[in-house]
Amino acid sequence: MDLNEITKMYDFSGRSVIITGGAGILGGEIACALVGCGASVAIVDRDPSLADRLMNRFETGCGQAIVVYGDVLQPELMEQAAQQVLDTFGRVDYLINGAGGNSPGATTRPDQKFFDLPVEALRFVFDLNILGTIIPSQIFGRIMAGEGEGAIVNVSSMNASRPLTRIPAYSAAKAGVSNFTQ
């Protein structure tokens, strides 16, 4: 295989990619790689200022990136984000669901045993990871279905199959993401 064949395999020119949690560490690196491969990338995040650290990395002359405010737990905000992406790029080809995470309130520690984890903290972590994957999949998936093509990639965790004992809500939610994806 030569360099031209490899370059062609990873050519995303004319394609748009939405990355939820795109201003985070994993999402940001994925965004940089895709822009370098010619994609038009929409970084969707509830804290758009986090994407500031990435902007100079997008000056490759290959693809392009925009930052869009969105909260994966708020369907109406995700609808607005989808419209902004369509207004800017004209299409939706790929969705990468990278939003997620844990919360100190849902983590056991010497001063907070499993039996004392607050339901609100557990619910937030579970919702962020599982609903934060399903809601964008519904909204952007509907657009792709209407276009007759597209792909969705859901970011899970090794905790889905081998849970860590200190983070039960995160592990359970990522297991749900893996199940939803399969």
Side-chain angles (χ1 to χ4, degrees):
M1 184 173 287
D2 67 22
L3 183 58
N4 287 332
E5 287 180 48
I6 294 172
T7 303
K8 186 176 179 181
M9 287 173 41
Y10 293 96
D11 183 3
F12 284 82
S13 299
R15 298 296 187 162
S16 67
V17 183
I18 291 77
I19 306 175
T20 65
I25 300 300
L26 290 175
E29 290 304 313
I30 293 168
C32 289
L34 287 167
V35 167
C37 292
S40 296
V41 176
I43 295 171
V44 177
D45 208 285
R46 66 181 174 186
D47 187 354
S49 68
L50 293 176
D52 291 347
R53 67 180 173 74
L54 302 170
M55 298 317 284
N56 66 333
R57 295 178 63 191
F58 297 138
E59 297 169 4
T60 63
C62 296
Q64 62 179 322
I66 61 170
V67 181
V68 178
Y69 174 74
D71 184 332
V72 294
L73 297 177
Q74 302 295 324
E76 59 281 350
L77 293 178
M78 293 309 296
E79 292 281 359
Q80 292 172 12
Q83 189 58 55
Q84 188 175 345
V85 170
L86 288 171
D87 290 346
T88 304
F89 298 146
R91 59 184 295 129
V92 172
D93 295 297
Y94 307 104
L95 167 64
I96 299 173
N97 281 309
N102 198 23
S103 168
T107 303
T108 63
R109 51 187 187 269
D111 65 322
Q112 181 167 276
K113 305 295 185 215
F114 168 78
F115 309 104
D116 302 320
L117 292 174
V119 171
E120 307 80 40
L122 295 169
R123 184 172 287 124
F124 171 76
V125 171
F126 194 81
D127 286 357
L128 176 61
N129 289 281
I130 190 70
L131 291 177
T133 298
I134 292 173
I135 291 169
S137 294
Q138 290 176 315
I139 292 166
F140 288 101
R142 178 175 293 150
I143 295 167
M144 289 184 275
E147 293 173 353
E149 66 178 337
I152 299 173
V153 175
N154 297 321
V155 176
S156 186
S157 171
M158 289 303 298
N159 287 334
S161 58
R162 189 176 181 95
L164 298 177
T165 57
R166 295 186 59 221
I167 52 174
Y170 178 81
S171 297
K174 288 302 186 181
V177 169
S178 292
N179 181 278
F180 170 70
T181 302
Q182 294 171 2

